[in-house]
Amino acid sequence: MGDGPALNSIRGIAIGDDGELLVANHNQISAVAMANGNRISLSNDTGTGSGPVFNALGVTRDPASGVIYVASAEADRKIYSVTLPGGDRTIISDAATGVGPVFDELDSVTIDETTGDLFTNGEDALGNVVFKVDPATGDRTIVSAGDGPILSSISEVRYWQEEEVVLASGEAEGALFRVDPASGDRFIVSGPTVGQGPYMGDLSSFALHTPSRVAFVIGSGDAGYRIFAVDLDSGDRVIIAAD
């Protein structure tokens, strides 16, 4: 459905501008019109935009500036900015850009729309962690080093603007976590030990509907792929779609 560049190997998705979705698929960031599915390439390795080429896994957008940020999976993980129009790419944080702990893994990126700070999941000597990244300097700070359950195999992070916390999906634990960037403390929002409902299995991507305080979470396991609606206050969960 829709015309434009092929949607091959989609790895990340975010809300764009004016009824568009932003899609990250390896060497390309595309805008997809919600109304008809038409797609245009905003930045790629075949002539749209200049700068180093990324291997895009996650994408987010700063609504104030319109700048797009991309989590990229080169051998040494990086975060890029993409400026529009034009699609020019700039590395804003990696081992050589900014100070602080270096990303060892990097899967997604999300933004605090009030401060402009970025958050991403990765690994360092502590295992799976959540980083805060200053987009102006590239400086990195671990914001999940407080008390609480260990984060392991985190697949995606989303910033919950109203609560000023980061939510993270645990790929292996079947749990959705909450991280307070101010204290570093970690909590289970929903999982085998919190909330009522079926086991969610290996979690991947999720979306927030903040007016209803619900997360829609993709889980998989022996029963196939399922989408859960998770109450962010109680942790209760129900299946709303399944294979």
Side-chain angles (χ1 to χ4, degrees), residues 9-106:
S9 303
I10 295 175
R11 300 299 302 272
I13 191 168
I15 300 297
D17 190 22
D18 296 329
E20 292 180 336
L21 297 172
L22 299 175
V23 172
N25 52 325
H26 288 307
N27 302 130
Q28 180 168 255
I29 299 295
S30 300
V32 179
M34 296 183 197
N36 55 23
N38 287 344
R39 304 170 297 278
I40 60 170
S41 181
L42 301 177
S43 186
N44 60 47
D45 62 347
T46 57
T48 303
S50 61
V53 176
F54 45 55
N55 183 6
L57 293 178
V59 60
T60 194
R61 175 181 175 273
D62 183 347
S65 67
V67 173
I68 295 169
Y69 295 100
V70 177
S72 184
E74 285 94 341
D76 55 329
R77 302 326 202 226
K78 305 176 188 295
I79 294 180
Y80 289 76
S81 66
V82 177
T83 54
L84 300 176
D88 290 347
R89 302 169 295 276
T90 303
I91 296 169
I92 65 162
S93 188
D94 66 354
T97 309
V99 299
V102 176
F103 308 126
D104 190 32
E105 292 290 339
L106 191 62

